[in-house]
Amino acid sequence: MPPKNLSSLAHWITLHSRPLLQSPWLSIFQQNVKTGPNRFIPDFYLIKEKKWAMTVPLVRSSLLQTSENIHGNDGDERDSSRAPIQDIRLLMIRQYRHGASNLSWEFPAGQIDEEEEPSNAAIRELREETGASNVKMLKDLGHIYAEPARNTNLGYGYLVVCDWEEEEDMEIDEGVSREQDGEVSPRQKKHEQVLDMHENIEVKAFSLREVLAMIERGEIFHGAHLGFCMKAYLHMTERGLNGLKEDHHGICGEKGHKG
């Protein structure tokens, strides 16, 4: 019988653990675990992977432009319906995921190196995968376990603002496919990336409105990235345009920002 209330829940106890596979990427252990009084699982399989970090990057030009559309350069209030928070653009990447046998829209992310701070790893991956510059932290989004039932895989997320120049309908690198489905109007531009040998990554900026529509259509399906996107969306909604702009200027200063 399952526990009747939360107060009766307890941590499992690992009685024995035997490595079945150990590689630079992951390790698999067969364990004998005690789940409760006289309750045991003799062949529980635990997967251990390295920790990783990611960013939900806001394009700085869209954040400032959206705010100016509401208040104007002279500070006068304008119709907020002309530039809702959903007009802020987010930087995303698309790459092939072999487990899903499909191309996946995601946020920039990667494994944390030895003795590297998660926030530094997240910003490093953003720069390497997109070529973004002048990256500044807006909000620590906490951590997420991608699959906590049998995997130690732990990810850290951060809401950031960055520079990423963009132009409408500019050609992207040769060999990278481009879809025209009439539903998404991405802004795209060539950027200098620093990619691993097996990485082939497409970079585009979408408005928050478009990102939400892509989630609805199932075009963004990576569970951990959906989780951090939700955390970022809740923070952006709570802070609003004024709050996000204040956060940005509080970090960068009214006269600009440093790289």
Side-chain angles (χ1 to χ4, degrees):
M1 294 288 293
K4 295 181 179 180
N5 54 65
L6 293 178
S7 63
S8 64
L9 295 177
H11 287 208
W12 292 4
I13 299 174
T14 302
L15 302 176
H16 178 73
S17 183
R18 178 172 68 94
L20 299 180
L21 171 68
Q22 292 181 297
S23 78
W25 302 105
L26 61 84
S27 299
I28 301 177
F29 295 84
Q30 182 183 21
Q31 299 183 332
N32 181 2
V33 297
K34 181 178 180 180
T35 65
N38 300 318
R39 296 184 184 135
F40 303 90
I41 301 178
D43 54 354
F44 185 87
Y45 296 92
L46 182 72
I47 303 171
K48 293 187 177 182
E49 296 184 71
K50 290 183 177 181
K51 297 177 181 180
W52 54 276
M54 62 166 284
T55 56
V56 179
L58 309 182
V59 178
R60 178 176 281 108
S61 60
S62 72
L63 172 61
L64 300 182
Q65 181 181 6
T66 301
S67 182
E68 288 175 359
N69 286 343
I70 290 181
H71 297 282
N73 294 325
D74 54 5
D76 291 340
E77 191 76 16
R78 297 179 181 176
D79 182 6
S80 61
S81 64
R82 294 175 52 191
I85 196 172
Q86 284 85 354
D87 287 340
I88 296 176
R89 292 192 292 277
L90 285 69
L91 200 55
M92 299 196 71
I93 64 172
R94 182 165 66 166
Q95 59 185 324
Y96 177 75
R97 290 303 192 186
H98 195 52
S101 298
N102 204 350
L103 295 173
S104 174
W105 281 111
E106 304 170 0
F107 296 103
Q111 289 188 340
I112 302 172
D113 293 336
E114 292 293 333
E115 299 184 358
E116 186 179 25
E117 290 295 325
S119 58
N120 293 338
I123 292 176
R124 172 179 55 77
E125 289 289 341
L126 170 61
R127 289 171 172 159
E128 291 177 354
E129 294 184 346
T130 70
S133 60
N134 295 327
V135 183
K136 301 297 180 182
M137 196 75 64
L138 291 180
K139 173 70 174 177
D140 184 338
L141 299 174
H143 63 270
I144 284 178
Y145 282 93
E147 203 287 283
R150 61 181 65 252
N151 197 317
T152 64
N153 190 231
L154 176 64
Y156 300 84
Y158 304 90
L159 179 66
V160 304
V161 61
C162 65
D163 285 339
W164 194 80
E165 296 178 4
E166 52 197 9
E167 295 178 7
E168 295 277 358
D169 300 323
M170 175 171 282
E171 292 297 325
I172 58 179
D173 292 336
E174 183 179 355
V176 178
S177 64
R178 179 182 178 187
E179 295 181 356
Q180 294 283 1
D181 56 12
E183 297 186 48
V184 176
S185 56
R187 290 170 167 82
Q188 54 193 23
K189 186 178 175 65
K190 292 181 180 178
H191 285 269
E192 183 177 354
Q193 298 167 296
V194 182
L195 302 177
D196 296 336
M197 178 175 60
H198 300 293
E199 287 184 315
N200 186 11
I201 293 176
E202 179 182 1
V203 186
K204 293 182 181 179
F206 298 92
S207 71
L208 177 58
R209 177 184 292 102
E210 290 168 328
V211 170
L212 296 176
M214 293 164 70
I215 293 174
E216 180 69 20
R217 293 195 298 269
E219 297 172 19
I220 302 174
F221 51 78
H222 193 306
H225 290 241
L226 287 169
F228 279 123
C229 184
M230 172 61 71
K231 286 191 170 192
Y233 177 73
L234 292 174
H235 177 73
M236 293 170 66
T237 302
E238 179 183 4
R239 292 293 290 150
L241 286 170
N242 286 339
L244 291 172
K245 187 177 180 182
E246 289 172 3
D247 294 341
H248 168 264
H249 285 310
I251 296 170
C252 303
E254 291 291 345
K255 294 184 179 180
H257 50 269
K258 298 181 181 180

